[in-house]
Amino acid sequence: MSSTFGSVFRVSTWGESHGAGIGVVVDGCPARVALTQEMVQKELDRRKPGQSDITTQRKEPDTVEILSGVVDGKTLGTPISMMVRNVDARPAAYDEMAHAYRPSHADYCYDAKYGIRPLSGGGRASARETIGRVAAGAVARAVVQSLYPKMDVIAWVESVHDLVCTVPPHLVEREEIRANDARTADRHLGVQMAMEIRRARNAGDTLGGVVACTVRNCPVGLGDPVFDKLEATLAHAMMSIPACKGFEVGSGFRAPSMTGSEHNDIYFYDGKRVRTRTNNSGGIQGGISNGEDINMRMAFKPTATISAAQNTINDRMQEILLRGGGRHDPCVLPRAVPIVEAMAWIVLCDHLLRQRSCRL
Amino acid sequence: MSSTFGSVFRVSTWGESHGAGIGVVVDGCPARVALTQEMVQKELDRRKPGQSDITTQRKEPDTVEILSGVVDGKTLGTPISMMVRNVDARPAAYDEMAHAYRPSHADYCYDAKYGIRPLSGGGRASARETIGRVAAGAVARAVVQSLYPKMDVIAWVESVHDLVCTVPPHLVEREEIRANDARTADRHLGVQMAMEIRRARNAGDTLGGVVACTVRNCPVGLGDPVFDKLEATLAHAMMSIPACKGFEVGSGFRAPSMTGSEHNDIYFYDGKRVRTRTNNSGGIQGGISNGEDINMRMAFKPTATISAAQNTINDRMQEILLRGGGRHDPCVLPRAVPIVEAMAWIVLCDHLLRQRSCRL
Amino acid sequence: MSSTFGSVFRVSTWGESHGAGIGVVVDGCPARVALTQEMVQKELDRRKPGQSDITTQRKEPDTVEILSGVVDGKTLGTPISMMVRNVDARPAAYDEMAHAYRPSHADYCYDAKYGIRPLSGGGRASARETIGRVAAGAVARAVVQSLYPKMDVIAWVESVHDLVCTVPPHLVEREEIRANDARTADRHLGVQMAMEIRRARNAGDTLGGVVACTVRNCPVGLGDPVFDKLEATLAHAMMSIPACKGFEVGSGFRAPSMTGSEHNDIYFYDGKRVRTRTNNSGGIQGGISNGEDINMRMAFKPTATISAAQNTINDRMQEILLRGGGRHDPCVLPRAVPIVEAMAWIVLCDHLLRQRSCRL
Amino acid sequence: MSSTFGSVFRVSTWGESHGAGIGVVVDGCPARVALTQEMVQKELDRRKPGQSDITTQRKEPDTVEILSGVVDGKTLGTPISMMVRNVDARPAAYDEMAHAYRPSHADYCYDAKYGIRPLSGGGRASARETIGRVAAGAVARAVVQSLYPKMDVIAWVESVHDLVCTVPPHLVEREEIRANDARTADRHLGVQMAMEIRRARNAGDTLGGVVACTVRNCPVGLGDPVFDKLEATLAHAMMSIPACKGFEVGSGFRAPSMTGSEHNDIYFYDGKRVRTRTNNSGGIQGGISNGEDINMRMAFKPTATISAAQNTINDRMQEILLRGGGRHDPCVLPRAVPIVEAMAWIVLCDHLLRQRSCRL
């Protein structure tokens, strides 16, 4: 089940980096949800390469075709198949790397696992696979917002290397994120981040960072104890994004240094609505959403492909010196933002649909 | 599917904190694996309450009965059902709390989700649920080690509040962990940690910390791209443990401040074996194990139940003052160690069995 | 996943014929459904051995214990674990058969598949495994009828060997079935069937037959195209019952000899309700229930254990002469009735819950 | 999960009859299996319309494109996505039927279930959906035969209306089936069957029949007790094919009239190989293959679309007179043959892969 995610709302992606294309089938989407090609394309445009000078220069229009499951702008309740053709694959660019095991790439592991791998591009380990996730996320969002129009998911680049954005999650605005190429929550900082990324690229190097994500106006009750706690499925979703090395919710890795009396979120009635005075729980208690904002942070490593020369090995038992080819992002963070949002929408949509059979 | 974990090796737990007992059914366990009641009991004894004065004083022998799937010390390939009876449930102790929503507990969320909850104990959200995980983990370990006898999983308490154990993962020894009540990797530090925990308890408070875990001698090739990457399923498993707020693998949240040239793990041949000079990847690349140690860290919040009085609300729309009753751990970390190991074994066993159908 | 059935409403059975007991865990049951031990016991009593002189004489009270998931007669939404202890297992009775491969039994196949099997009793292939199904069926029925009180499932013995009950499905009455040991829909025919069964038993032989089942007042819309059509999941459920060799719905094996103009069910409006003039479809079209009665027929082979001597082989490469020991039903049909009903309830409940996420 | 079938080898189909196309994603296929477009196309050509004058005259080349998962004629172990574009969809031909509920079609049920349906063609209920099954079946066959080259699945039309082919399963030859348009196992009878089908078509009517299927040289040990018995998953697979009304294995509906001593299959040693003297079990005992031929029979109803006028209703609460339009098969049997084989291969492949984790 390696390429399928979700329990009721199920997302299955397919496609290799340098193959015919990339696609996704969404099964379990409810009928009669408004969905158009434009809604999906809009999200893909936020992910596609070449949006600015700090992303990969691979030229891919990433135009999506909806092949099934939608008629006249409404879902049918049947599987929604969507596809993006690969246009600018340049297998030749990978020739010298064909038999190399690039450091911190998946080449060696795929070979060891399957005994075969596409000798060009990253295959399934390529960031192009995430096209399917973003397309499916657009469907998930349409489902969720048709039920909860005010519910929203916002992700942003919280840090690039040592540049940190300190805007607190509840003050983050989508406009601000759109207004800078680095996709951080402060457009002025974004300019600095972009410069930092260019500087690393020019030095033949790459950078990592943190993506933060907040879910607003989430209904109470999402998440399935015991194993499919909301934070556990979110962690699964986020840690499945290429280059993600860490996940935390609410107080996260700050929790260990707090005492119970500091950490506990005190309940009170805000009119008839139950709320908590603090939100160290990150909107989730016992694996179930409590109605407060769900706050997550994801650590991303620097892109493994660097243009500086590196020692490594190849699949012929030789040690070699490798200089990075192909076209890659000097920093994955800006393009990770719509992917993080997509995975959050997918998880939330799945739990929302699962929730419908919890009570009669 | 909330109470089932795993794809081929499937673990389903059941049972409420103050009900008849706690159990687990393991389906998909291969036939003819050596398994005895003692092997399971030994792991449960590491988890059970009352091992020292820094854990809850609830008296539970936690004696496991294997009800099916094993004959004459060998698995049959059929479901293995195991059960532990609850002995020392004291529903009365919870009377005053019956209708209270305890801060940072699951009470309110369960009520909101299901419209019903057991008015005594934490129900499924209780740490007693983890008995089933530990029992299943013992089965998983038996399966894995019958194939890879040298493969091992070791977890330890890396920190309690501000006390941090700095023994590097590859030097951690099981003997040292066993030799201190705090279950850290340095017995002398363990004494201090235990004192810190007692001090917090006496102050009516509780503490959190970090549990670290390392997997040694893991074969290359485990983990299923795309969604079921090894780190993604490990994150899912760990974040499903009560009180876990964060997960990281390898460089984790240190990765964002590194450059690609610093972070990349350079391959070399150690004789015929492929190895990496550093291990920022934490033993996993592209979602697949590369043969290096798999290193993880999990953040645990301080226990939500404190004996100091707290403001909160009840299920009758009232704001109340609550003083914690029941018997709870002042710090969950020491008892989380066998649970973390169990979840790691379960994930690894599942991937090991899944791996068998990847190639013919 | 061999021992789990269902998608949202999930039933997992465990237990060997001569082990500690037999059990089932039902996960995905909605919260707040009225459920008592009596409701489950009542169904188990219809299945238990020794109800009359034409069933096996193994003495098993089959008293069920509900271990979790239910408090004060209401489901919690958490896993419902139920167990029946084996009381009258007589391993010794099987001594001579321990190494024999009984004709048309599962002994040889289990050995070939797993390389191990319990040397006493039929293990998981025993009819005792169906205890878990009947218990789970009682839960499923409680869920379904709490939503659709008039919906009902009735199974009966349509034939034993060459004795055939011709009461049409819509005229079958539960009272009549209860009133005869053979569980057919005509109490007078039931007396003859019982005699026929006794005659076979006295001759050291066994009989087969057909169980019919009708679902009344089923809501329109159950069943998930494409692969989980209602008839496909019903077929899966029924064909998983030991000794079942065939399944048909509606016109079934009569359909091939009809023309389209004869077979088509003409729609008409019965007031506002859509109905069909005939019901060759058996209440299902395109895999989805259409509101008419769902009519099924299941063929059961004669019990494989006969007391007459038979040639066979053992697991030591020898050909032997075997005389059946153990205690078995001379005809499984009467006791199959509650099992068929249980499997139907489980399928219907699962589809009912799945249906809740088909539309918003 | 309505559009996914299988546990380890997972087949997900998508696509509407009059949409952009029909496709399938196969996940869980092992790596390094030889697979070419030709191997898939060959099977699709056996299913495609217009092979003879007794099938629908819709003109569809049904040319398959393999979009992912295969490089240089070898599978990669990643999802295999395959697509066939719809070419000859004629939505206009359905105009008068757009709002009619055709008798014994899925129109009404889809509308009742989803509240929406494509107003042209049968949507997912169309026989065109089976393209994905046949393509996936070709992959399954490649996997199975790379392990067991002699294992084979052969289906044929056993009867059309009252014309019955009596060639016993073990004597059926593929050449003979190919040599007649009716796809029966006797080419002379095939001529009569084709005439019978033409006669029915000319009379504005349609015919049903029985498809038989035999699996030869199946290894011992396939099938997972309890719920996923080999016959239960085969029944699920076959009953999910449009128009299938009944399934039986081995003695099937003849079993009820036999006694145990007649029905039991006596074991003997054929050299070192365990065999049975008769095969009433149909190659399966206790849900597990025993190495004998697996024999199945499936009842298919006559095509619901007839050209004669019929009374029915529409979705506007009116009773109407409907004359069938669109292009349909006067008898689905000949084209059902490759679909039945495909579903059998899929089930067998899945069990073969599941089997790999049953023993270490």
Side-chain angles (χ1 to χ4, degrees):
Chain A
M1 280 185 274
S2 63
S3 290
T4 296
F5 188 81
S7 169
V8 170
F9 184 86
R10 293 168 65 78
V11 172
S12 303
T13 71
W14 56 264
E16 272 76 36
S17 170
H18 286 191
I22 301 286
V24 65
V25 180
V26 178
D27 198 8
C29 180
R32 301 204 296 186
V33 173
L35 185 73
T36 62
Q37 195 269 354
E38 290 68 34
M39 290 163 74
V40 179
Q41 191 62 53
K42 189 181 155 197
E43 295 301 319
L44 287 175
D45 288 348
R46 296 174 61 207
R47 195 216 74 96
K48 79 175 172 187
Q51 293 173 69
S52 74
D53 71 332
I54 57 170
T55 63
T56 175
Q57 297 304 303
R58 179 167 169 173
K59 297 279 188 303
E60 292 287 354
D62 285 352
T63 307
V64 70
E65 182 182 10
I66 300 181
L67 296 160
S68 69
V70 180
V71 166
D72 297 336
K74 293 274 181 191
T75 60
L76 291 170
T78 60
I80 300 169
S81 176
M82 298 180 282
M83 178 172 61
V84 162
R85 291 273 178 186
N86 288 331
V87 170
D88 188 27
R90 295 189 197 162
Y94 284 81
D95 267 4
E96 66 175 314
M97 291 195 292
H99 296 276
Y101 291 145
R102 294 168 291 166
S104 288
H105 269 276
D107 308 327
Y108 165 63
C109 292
Y110 269 69
D111 243 10
K113 183 180 188 73
Y114 295 110
I116 188 174
R117 70 188 165 95
L119 289 183
S120 149
R124 289 292 282 161
S126 162
R128 283 195 71 68
E129 178 273 335
T130 61
I131 286 172
R133 302 176 184 230
V134 172
V139 179
R141 178 182 181 166
V143 174
V144 173
Q145 293 193 329
S146 77
L147 281 173
Y148 296 94
K150 291 187 180 172
M151 188 165 161
D152 207 4
V153 172
I154 300 181
W156 68 97
V157 174
E158 190 192 271
S159 74
V160 167
H161 204 225
D162 51 2
L163 293 173
V164 180
C165 171
T166 56
V167 180
H170 68 282
L171 295 182
V172 167
E173 290 171 21
R174 213 183 266 284
E175 282 311 298
E176 199 73 13
I177 301 166
R178 274 198 209 105
N180 71 92
D181 291 344
R183 306 300 180 219
T184 190
D186 169 345
R187 71 180 76 189
H188 304 296
L189 180 65
V191 176
Q192 294 177 53
M193 284 180 174
M195 283 176 57
E196 185 93 346
I197 294 171
R198 277 183 216 105
R199 200 176 302 132
R201 184 191 57 203
N202 295 342
D205 217 331
T206 57
L207 299 178
V210 170
V211 174
C213 181
T214 192
V215 182
R216 295 174 182 166
N217 299 310
C218 181
V220 187
L222 302 194
D224 263 21
V226 170
F227 292 113
D228 287 355
K229 290 187 167 77
L230 186 49
E231 66 268 45
T233 42
L234 284 167
H236 189 150
M238 298 304 167
M239 293 294 300
S240 78
I241 300 174
C244 187
K245 303 297 290 178
F247 171 88
E248 61 176 28
V249 63
S251 56
F253 278 92
R254 289 179 296 107
S257 57
M258 299 169 79
T259 64
S261 55
E262 290 162 358
H263 193 277
N264 280 356
D265 295 321
I266 302 303
Y267 282 114
F268 70 101
Y269 279 104
D270 181 11
K272 290 196 168 179
R273 191 178 152 207
V274 172
R275 298 219 42 197
T276 62
R277 301 228 177 251
T278 49
N279 188 15
N280 289 311
S281 302
I284 306 173
Q285 281 156 341
I288 302 169
S289 63
N290 69 357
E292 302 294 324
D293 289 352
I294 299 171
N295 295 319
M296 300 165 268
R297 294 174 74 247
M298 279 67 64
F300 283 84
K301 69 170 186 175
T303 316
T305 301
I306 62 178
S307 55
Q310 297 173 96
N311 290 311
T312 191
I313 59 174
N314 64 19
D315 58 12
R316 291 147 178 181
M317 297 282 294
Q318 296 164 321
E319 306 208 339
I320 59 170
L321 187 71
L322 179 78
R323 188 172 292 273
R327 294 149 295 169
H328 291 86
D329 292 281
C331 176
V332 298
L333 277 285
R335 291 178 61 211
V337 164
I339 302 167
V340 163
E341 289 184 7
M343 293 309 296
W345 282 118
I346 291 168
V347 169
L348 293 164
C349 181
D350 191 33
H351 278 296
L352 209 59
L353 296 179
R354 289 166 80 157
Q355 175 66 2
R356 296 169 81 89
S357 59
C358 279
R359 299 165 68 160
L360 297 182
Chain B
M1 282 185 273
S2 63
S3 290
T4 296
F5 188 80
S7 169
V8 170
F9 184 86
R10 293 166 65 77
V11 173
S12 303
T13 70
W14 55 265
E16 271 77 35
S17 170
H18 286 191
I22 301 286
V24 64
V25 180
V26 178
D27 198 8
C29 180
R32 301 204 294 185
V33 174
L35 185 73
T36 62
Q37 195 269 354
E38 289 70 33
M39 290 163 75
V40 179
Q41 191 62 52
K42 188 181 155 197
E43 296 301 318
L44 287 176
D45 287 348
R46 296 173 61 208
R47 195 216 74 96
K48 78 175 174 187
Q51 295 172 68
S52 74
D53 72 332
I54 57 169
T55 63
T56 174
Q57 297 305 303
R58 180 167 169 171
K59 296 279 188 302
E60 292 286 356
D62 284 353
T63 306
V64 70
E65 183 182 9
I66 300 181
L67 296 160
S68 69
V70 180
V71 166
D72 297 336
K74 293 274 181 191
T75 59
L76 291 171
T78 59
I80 301 169
S81 176
M82 299 180 282
M83 177 173 61
V84 162
R85 291 273 179 186
N86 288 330
V87 170
D88 189 28
R90 296 189 198 161
Y94 283 82
D95 266 5
E96 66 175 313
M97 292 195 291
H99 296 276
Y101 290 146
R102 292 169 292 166
S104 287
H105 269 275
D107 308 328
Y108 165 62
C109 292
Y110 269 69
D111 242 11
K113 183 179 188 74
Y114 295 110
I116 187 174
R117 69 185 166 96
L119 290 183
S120 148
R124 290 290 282 161
S126 162
R128 283 195 70 69
E129 179 273 334
T130 61
I131 286 172
R133 302 175 184 232
V134 172
V139 179
R141 178 182 182 166
V143 173
V144 173
Q145 293 193 329
S146 76
L147 281 173
Y148 296 95
K150 290 187 180 173
M151 190 166 161
D152 206 3
V153 172
I154 300 181
W156 67 98
V157 173
E158 191 193 271
S159 74
V160 166
H161 204 225
D162 51 2
L163 293 172
V164 180
C165 169
T166 56
V167 181
H170 68 282
L171 295 182
V172 167
E173 289 169 22
R174 212 183 266 285
E175 281 312 299
E176 199 73 13
I177 301 166
R178 272 198 210 106
N180 70 92
D181 291 344
R183 306 301 179 219
T184 190
D186 169 344
R187 71 181 76 190
H188 305 294
L189 181 65
V191 176
Q192 294 177 54
M193 284 180 173
M195 284 175 58
E196 185 92 346
I197 294 170
R198 276 184 218 104
R199 200 175 302 131
R201 183 191 58 205
N202 296 341
D205 217 331
T206 58
L207 299 178
V210 170
V211 173
C213 181
T214 192
V215 182
R216 294 174 182 165
N217 300 310
C218 181
V220 187
L222 302 194
D224 263 22
V226 170
F227 292 112
D228 287 353
K229 290 186 167 78
L230 186 49
E231 67 268 45
T233 41
L234 284 167
H236 190 149
M238 298 304 167
M239 293 294 299
S240 79
I241 301 174
C244 186
K245 302 298 289 179
F247 171 88
E248 62 176 27
V249 63
S251 57
F253 278 91
R254 288 179 297 108
S257 57
M258 298 169 80
T259 65
S261 55
E262 290 163 357
H263 192 278
N264 280 356
D265 296 321
I266 302 302
Y267 282 114
F268 70 101
Y269 279 104
D270 181 11
K272 289 195 168 180
R273 191 178 151 207
V274 173
R275 297 218 43 196
T276 62
R277 301 229 178 251
T278 49
N279 188 14
N280 289 311
S281 301
I284 306 173
Q285 281 157 340
I288 302 169
S289 63
N290 67 359
E292 302 293 323
D293 289 352
I294 299 171
N295 296 319
M296 299 165 268
R297 294 174 73 249
M298 280 67 65
F300 283 84
K301 68 170 187 176
T303 316
T305 302
I306 61 179
S307 55
Q310 298 173 95
N311 291 310
T312 192
I313 58 174
N314 64 19
D315 59 12
R316 291 149 178 182
M317 297 283 293
Q318 296 164 322
E319 305 205 340
I320 58 170
L321 187 72
L322 179 77
R323 187 173 291 275
R327 294 150 295 168
H328 291 85
D329 291 281
C331 176
V332 297
L333 277 286
R335 291 179 60 212
V337 164
I339 301 167
V340 162
E341 289 184 7
M343 293 309 295
W345 282 118
I346 290 168
V347 168
L348 293 163
C349 180
D350 191 33
H351 278 296
L352 209 58
L353 296 180
R354 288 165 80 155
Q355 175 66 3
R356 296 169 81 89
S357 59
C358 278
R359 299 166 68 161
L360 296 182
Chain C
M1 281 185 277
S2 62
S3 290
T4 296
F5 188 81
S7 170
V8 170
F9 184 86
R10 292 167 64 78
V11 173
S12 303
T13 70
W14 55 264
E16 272 77 37
S17 170
H18 285 192
I22 301 286
V24 64
V25 180
V26 177
D27 198 8
C29 179
R32 302 205 293 186
V33 174
L35 185 73
T36 62
Q37 195 268 355
E38 289 69 34
M39 289 163 75
V40 180
Q41 192 61 53
K42 188 181 154 197
E43 296 300 320
L44 287 176
D45 288 348
R46 296 174 60 207
R47 195 216 76 96
K48 79 175 174 187
Q51 294 173 67
S52 73
D53 71 332
I54 57 169
T55 63
T56 173
Q57 297 305 301
R58 180 166 169 172
K59 295 279 187 304
E60 293 286 355
D62 285 353
T63 306
V64 70
E65 182 182 9
I66 300 181
L67 296 160
S68 69
V70 180
V71 166
D72 297 336
K74 292 275 181 192
T75 60
L76 292 170
T78 59
I80 301 169
S81 175
M82 299 179 282
M83 179 172 61
V84 163
R85 292 273 179 186
N86 288 331
V87 171
D88 189 27
R90 295 189 197 160
Y94 283 82
D95 267 3
E96 66 174 313
M97 290 195 290
H99 297 275
Y101 291 145
R102 293 169 291 167
S104 287
H105 270 275
D107 308 329
Y108 165 63
C109 292
Y110 269 68
D111 242 11
K113 183 180 188 73
Y114 295 109
I116 188 173
R117 70 188 165 96
L119 289 182
S120 148
R124 289 291 282 161
S126 162
R128 283 195 70 68
E129 179 273 336
T130 60
I131 286 172
R133 303 176 184 230
V134 172
V139 178
R141 178 182 182 167
V143 174
V144 173
Q145 292 193 330
S146 77
L147 281 173
Y148 297 94
K150 290 186 179 172
M151 190 164 159
D152 206 4
V153 172
I154 300 180
W156 67 98
V157 174
E158 190 192 272
S159 74
V160 167
H161 204 225
D162 52 0
L163 293 172
V164 179
C165 170
T166 56
V167 180
H170 68 283
L171 295 182
V172 168
E173 290 170 23
R174 212 181 267 287
E175 282 312 300
E176 198 72 13
I177 301 166
R178 273 199 210 104
N180 70 92
D181 291 343
R183 306 300 178 218
T184 190
D186 170 345
R187 70 181 75 189
H188 304 295
L189 181 63
V191 176
Q192 294 177 54
M193 285 180 173
M195 284 175 57
E196 185 92 347
I197 294 171
R198 275 183 219 106
R199 200 176 303 132
R201 184 191 57 204
N202 295 342
D205 218 330
T206 58
L207 299 178
V210 169
V211 174
C213 181
T214 191
V215 182
R216 295 175 182 165
N217 299 310
C218 181
V220 186
L222 302 194
D224 263 22
V226 171
F227 292 113
D228 286 354
K229 290 187 168 78
L230 185 49
E231 66 269 43
T233 42
L234 284 167
H236 189 150
M238 298 304 167
M239 292 294 301
S240 77
I241 301 175
C244 185
K245 303 298 290 179
F247 171 88
E248 62 176 26
V249 64
S251 56
F253 279 91
R254 288 179 297 107
S257 58
M258 299 169 79
T259 65
S261 56
E262 289 163 358
H263 193 278
N264 280 357
D265 296 321
I266 302 303
Y267 283 114
F268 69 102
Y269 280 104
D270 181 12
K272 290 196 167 180
R273 191 177 150 208
V274 172
R275 297 216 44 194
T276 61
R277 301 227 178 254
T278 49
N279 188 15
N280 289 311
S281 301
I284 306 174
Q285 280 156 342
I288 303 169
S289 63
N290 68 358
E292 302 294 321
D293 289 353
I294 299 172
N295 296 319
M296 299 165 269
R297 295 174 73 248
M298 280 68 64
F300 284 84
K301 69 172 186 175
T303 316
T305 302
I306 61 177
S307 55
Q310 297 172 95
N311 290 311
T312 192
I313 58 174
N314 64 17
D315 59 13
R316 292 151 177 179
M317 299 281 296
Q318 296 163 322
E319 306 207 339
I320 59 171
L321 187 71
L322 179 78
R323 188 172 291 274
R327 294 150 295 170
H328 292 84
D329 292 282
C331 176
V332 298
L333 277 285
R335 291 179 60 211
V337 164
I339 302 167
V340 163
E341 288 185 7
M343 292 310 295
W345 282 117
I346 291 168
V347 168
L348 293 163
C349 181
D350 191 34
H351 278 296
L352 209 59
L353 296 179
R354 289 165 80 156
Q355 175 65 2
R356 295 169 81 89
S357 59
C358 281
R359 299 165 69 160
L360 298 182
Chain D
M1 281 185 274
S2 62
S3 290
T4 296
F5 188 81
S7 168
V8 170
F9 184 87
R10 293 166 65 78
V11 172
S12 303
T13 70
W14 56 264
E16 271 77 36
S17 170
H18 286 192
I22 301 286
V24 65
V25 180
V26 177
D27 199 7
C29 179
R32 301 204 294 185
V33 174
L35 185 73
T36 62
Q37 195 268 354
E38 290 68 33
M39 289 163 74
V40 180
Q41 191 62 52
K42 190 181 153 196
E43 296 301 318
L44 287 176
D45 288 348
R46 296 173 60 207
R47 194 217 74 97
K48 78 175 173 187
Q51 294 172 67
S52 74
D53 71 332
I54 57 169
T55 63
T56 173
Q57 296 307 301
R58 181 168 169 171
K59 295 280 187 303
E60 292 285 356
D62 285 354
T63 307
V64 71
E65 182 182 9
I66 300 181
L67 295 160
S68 69
V70 180
V71 166
D72 297 336
K74 293 274 180 192
T75 60
L76 292 170
T78 59
I80 301 169
S81 175
M82 299 180 282
M83 177 171 62
V84 163
R85 292 275 178 184
N86 288 330
V87 171
D88 188 28
R90 295 187 198 163
Y94 283 81
D95 267 5
E96 65 175 312
M97 291 196 292
H99 297 275
Y101 290 146
R102 293 169 291 166
S104 288
H105 269 275
D107 308 328
Y108 165 63
C109 292
Y110 269 69
D111 242 11
K113 183 180 187 74
Y114 295 110
I116 187 174
R117 70 187 165 96
L119 289 183
S120 148
R124 290 289 282 161
S126 162
R128 282 196 70 69
E129 179 273 334
T130 61
I131 286 173
R133 303 176 183 230
V134 172
V139 179
R141 178 182 181 166
V143 173
V144 173
Q145 292 193 330
S146 76
L147 282 173
Y148 296 94
K150 291 188 180 172
M151 189 165 160
D152 206 3
V153 173
I154 300 180
W156 67 98
V157 173
E158 191 192 270
S159 74
V160 167
H161 204 224
D162 51 1
L163 293 172
V164 180
C165 170
T166 56
V167 180
H170 68 282
L171 294 182
V172 167
E173 290 170 21
R174 212 182 267 286
E175 283 311 300
E176 198 73 13
I177 302 166
R178 274 199 209 105
N180 71 91
D181 292 344
R183 306 300 179 219
T184 190
D186 170 344
R187 71 181 76 191
H188 304 295
L189 181 65
V191 176
Q192 293 177 55
M193 284 179 173
M195 284 175 57
E196 185 94 347
I197 294 171
R198 276 183 218 107
R199 200 175 302 131
R201 184 190 58 204
N202 296 342
D205 217 328
T206 59
L207 299 178
V210 169
V211 173
C213 182
T214 191
V215 182
R216 294 175 184 166
N217 299 309
C218 182
V220 186
L222 302 194
D224 264 21
V226 172
F227 291 113
D228 287 355
K229 290 186 167 77
L230 186 49
E231 67 269 43
T233 42
L234 284 167
H236 189 150
M238 299 304 166
M239 292 294 300
S240 78
I241 300 174
C244 186
K245 303 298 290 179
F247 172 89
E248 62 175 26
V249 63
S251 56
F253 279 91
R254 288 179 296 108
S257 57
M258 300 169 79
T259 65
S261 55
E262 289 163 356
H263 193 278
N264 281 356
D265 296 321
I266 302 303
Y267 282 115
F268 70 102
Y269 279 104
D270 180 10
K272 289 196 168 181
R273 193 179 148 206
V274 172
R275 297 216 45 196
T276 61
R277 302 228 177 252
T278 48
N279 188 15
N280 289 312
S281 301
I284 306 173
Q285 280 156 341
I288 302 169
S289 63
N290 68 358
E292 302 294 322
D293 289 352
I294 299 172
N295 296 319
M296 300 165 268
R297 295 174 74 248
M298 281 67 65
F300 283 84
K301 69 171 187 176
T303 315
T305 302
I306 61 178
S307 55
Q310 298 172 95
N311 290 311
T312 191
I313 59 174
N314 64 18
D315 59 13
R316 291 149 178 180
M317 298 281 295
Q318 296 164 321
E319 306 207 338
I320 60 171
L321 186 72
L322 179 78
R323 187 172 291 273
R327 294 149 295 169
H328 291 85
D329 292 281
C331 175
V332 298
L333 276 286
R335 291 179 60 211
V337 164
I339 302 166
V340 162
E341 288 185 7
M343 293 309 295
W345 282 117
I346 291 168
V347 169
L348 292 164
C349 181
D350 191 33
H351 278 295
L352 209 56
L353 296 179
R354 289 165 80 157
Q355 175 65 2
R356 295 169 82 88
S357 59
C358 279
R359 299 166 68 160
L360 297 182

